[in-house]
Amino acid sequence: MSVFKVNAIKSLKAEFSVPGDKSMSHRAAIIAGISNGECVIRNFLPSEDCLNTLKAMGSLGVAYTILEEMENFGPTMLRIQGKKMRLSQPPLPIDCGNSGTGMRLLAGLLAAQAFDSELYGDESLSSRPMARITVPLSQMGANIECRGEKKGCAPLLIHGTKLHAITYEMPVASAQVKSAVLLAGLFCEGKTTVVQPAETRDHTERMLAAFGVRTHREGNAITLRGGQIPEARDFRVPGDISSAAFWIVAAAALPGSRLLIQDVGLNESRTAIIGVLLRMGAKIHDMIHTKEDGEPIGNIEICGNGLTGTVIRPDEVPNLIDEIPVIAVAAALAEGTTVIRNARELRVKETDRIATVVENLRRMGAEVQEFEDGMEITGGKPLHGAVLQSYGDHRIAMAFAIAGLFATGETVIENTDCVNTSYPGFEKHLAAIMREKTDPSAYKLKTLTHEESWD
Ligand code: S3P
């Protein structure tokens, strides 16, 4: 089992890109796989989560060829031959690994097929709530058995059948639920509508539109008419802002730093972290803001300035839900108090992220109060190195690696293989930032020279 050993850094002057977006890579594998022809997907994220979804599509009869790879990890460029909505029965149960997105989106797709299938996952995924998708899918006529030891949990036994369109008002703001229902809706006659209680990431709608599927949005209601077949096309996945977030926080909290993250996704349903850090006093600007394949993309420049506490607004929570562990670290490094509430969803992520963040922050000497739906962090107390658990949660491992860059002494994070579920290469980036050395061949990481640097 690997560990991270992290020491404090004095400066951070770098320029690099992060691997492809996780949410979009799952969707690219699925939507290209049901499209009507050949699609080349570029900058696919070769993380365990996305590779499981890709393999799942393979076991449903979708052929793909690997065109480029990230050494030691997996494909970054693929040619996928779409099956024109006609998937075939998988020979074996499908392993979704650690991925809630993979399992929930695939469940929507599989519920509407003319065959039975089974989805299972690791221990963490087997304890996460699946009723949030089986309830709306059952309303569409789906027949899904939750076979887990825990009620309403995976493995999911899906008896594929013909579904009918519905209008569904989601009780939780979840892009995974919205996407599962919309993907199922593609196979129904008539109009399927999903109403969100708050805005959630809209990659499914955008990617469907890029593949020629018309969706209609009115306020927070998204409608699509079934029977539309995605038209094959190429798609380039932007860098993942949720992966960039770790370095953005590190640079923002370190006075004198300068960081440029290139080619990162800047979809407005994902960039609330930037607004929060700006409120906390960070100096951030995004540049070369363009649109590629329906998704905004650009560069972000961060100049370290020191931070002050803030209050996270309820409407921001779904937009930055995955960034909360590292925002909590930023809060511990900031002067004053930061309040994170209305974030009960964190309790059903890869770990109970309220409990795991609070535990690790306290171990490093931070002052934190835990609530059922969040936490309040009084920042400014110096952090000290500690031996921490990742609890097998990739974002906990990475968030506390960032905390370690600001702590006195050594921080050891145990059980860090999990970072490969979303950020292959994180460890190399971390090592390069601790060394401030260039490793352009593998990761395009470039440390700025003094002349190029901000000051
Ligand atoms: C995701 C949606 C979010 C997020 C997850 C990825 C997606 O989950 O936490 O990491 O790709 O749709 P919810 O939609 O369940 O909030």
Side-chain angles (χ1 to χ4, degrees):
M1 232 174 243
S2 61
V3 298
F4 292 159
K5 291 187 174 172
V6 187
N7 288 294
I9 52 169
K10 290 197 183 69
S11 80
L12 197 173
K13 291 194 167 62
E15 182 177 317
F16 60 100
S17 57
V18 291
D21 187 272
K22 178 159 79 73
S23 291
M24 288 187 234
S25 296
H26 282 291
R27 287 158 173 81
I30 293 173
I31 295 172
I34 57 171
S35 76
N36 65 358
E38 197 176 282
C39 312
V40 174
I41 309 299
R42 293 185 172 77
N43 205 32
F44 183 82
L45 175 66
S47 75
E48 284 164 10
D49 275 10
C50 299
L51 294 177
N52 279 324
T53 294
L54 182 65
K55 283 186 218 150
M57 294 309 289
S59 76
L60 295 164
V62 174
Y64 57 87
T65 321
I66 297 171
L67 303 176
E68 271 176 25
E69 284 194 290
M70 185 194 279
E71 210 184 327
N72 300 327
F73 293 105
T76 51
M77 188 170 24
L78 295 154
R79 185 180 301 114
I80 297 181
Q81 186 63 45
K83 287 275 285 177
K84 213 174 172 185
M85 310 278 277
R86 280 186 236 109
L87 300 172
S88 41
Q89 179 156 27
L92 293 168
I94 292 174
D95 184 2
C96 298
N98 190 241
S99 177
T101 308
M103 182 171 281
R104 294 185 177 121
L105 270 57
L106 287 168
L109 189 72
L110 292 171
Q113 306 305 315
F115 51 77
D116 292 357
S117 53
E118 185 177 338
L119 299 173
Y120 69 97
D122 67 8
E123 203 185 322
S124 152
L125 184 53
S126 306
S127 69
R128 295 179 64 187
M130 291 298 144
R132 55 180 59 196
I133 51 150
T134 58
V135 166
L137 293 172
S138 301
Q139 288 177 19
M140 299 174 89
N143 181 353
I144 304 179
E145 288 177 58
C146 295
R147 285 274 183 98
E149 277 167 28
K150 213 172 134 189
K151 193 167 177 274
C153 290
L156 303 180
L157 195 58
I158 303 174
H159 304 286
T161 186
K162 195 168 163 44
L163 304 184
H164 53 82
I166 57 164
T167 292
Y168 184 63
E169 291 204 17
M170 296 197 298
V172 283
S174 165
Q176 296 178 357
V177 175
K178 170 177 68 177
S179 304
V181 174
L182 291 177
L183 287 171
L186 266 187
F187 292 83
C188 300
E189 271 170 34
K191 287 181 184 170
T192 295
T193 299
V194 187
V195 187
Q196 329 178 70
E199 192 171 0
T200 66
R201 62 190 68 189
D202 63 358
H203 305 304
T204 300
E205 302 90 297
R206 282 175 189 262
M207 202 177 292
L208 284 172
F211 280 74
V213 173
R214 285 179 307 281
T215 59
H216 176 71
R217 177 166 172 180
E218 213 175 302
N220 268 340
I222 296 102
T223 300
L224 65 70
R225 186 179 284 283
Q228 301 182 71
I229 302 177
E231 285 163 27
R233 58 161 295 158
D234 297 346
F235 188 89
R236 188 162 95 89
V237 179
D240 196 327
I241 182 125
S242 298
S243 298
F246 299 105
W247 312 118
I248 294 174
V249 165
L254 189 69
S257 68
R258 190 207 158 196
L259 174 67
L260 185 72
I261 306 263
Q262 293 155 335
D263 299 327
V264 66
L266 295 172
N267 180 317
E268 274 183 19
S269 64
R270 297 282 299 283
T271 49
I273 183 171
I274 304 293
V276 166
L277 288 171
L278 285 171
R279 277 209 307 276
M280 293 177 84
K283 285 202 273 171
I284 304 179
H285 32 274
D286 56 273
M287 300 135 65
I288 333 173
H289 204 123
T290 58
K291 215 175 196 182
E292 219 174 272
D293 300 337
E295 286 281 353
I297 180 167
N299 295 347
I300 303 184
E301 185 180 43
I302 304 101
C303 300
N305 200 29
L307 301 173
T308 51
T310 190
V311 177
I312 310 288
R313 295 193 314 263
D315 64 292
E316 288 174 323
V317 170
N319 189 311
L320 48 66
I321 191 79
D322 292 342
E323 287 70 76
I324 289 180
V326 77
I327 290 174
V329 169
L333 300 171
E335 287 298 326
T337 303
T338 296
V339 183
I340 305 169
R341 302 294 302 256
N342 304 287
R344 195 171 277 106
E345 271 297 294
L346 288 175
R347 297 220 181 255
V348 291
K349 292 294 178 188
E350 284 81 333
T351 57
D352 173 345
R353 286 185 177 157
I354 296 179
T356 48
V357 165
V358 167
E359 171 67 23
N360 280 352
L361 280 179
R362 284 188 181 148
R363 280 178 188 265
M364 297 185 84
E367 200 181 317
V368 200
Q369 196 185 344
E370 178 174 351
F371 303 112
E372 178 49 32
D373 67 342
M375 64 195 90
E376 186 176 303
I377 299 155
T378 306
K381 268 178 90 178
L383 298 183
H384 54 74
V387 178
L388 305 175
Q389 262 300 316
S390 71
Y391 302 95
D393 183 335
H394 54 131
R395 299 209 194 276
I396 297 298
M398 293 187 278
F400 284 90
I402 301 307
L405 295 174
F406 292 85
T408 53
E410 187 175 71
T411 300
V412 178
I413 299 150
E414 295 183 331
N415 187 8
T416 54
D417 289 333
C418 54
V419 301
N420 295 336
T421 64
S422 69
Y423 193 159
F426 175 83
E427 194 173 1
K428 287 241 174 164
H429 276 171
L430 178 67
I433 276 172
M434 282 197 288
R435 287 194 316 264
E436 279 209 60
K437 263 196 189 152
T438 307
D439 190 3
S441 56
Y443 297 99
K444 289 199 271 178
L445 179 65
K446 179 178 155 204
T447 305
L448 299 179
T449 62
H450 187 69
E451 291 70 51
E452 290 172 301
S453 75
W454 186 250
D455 44 8

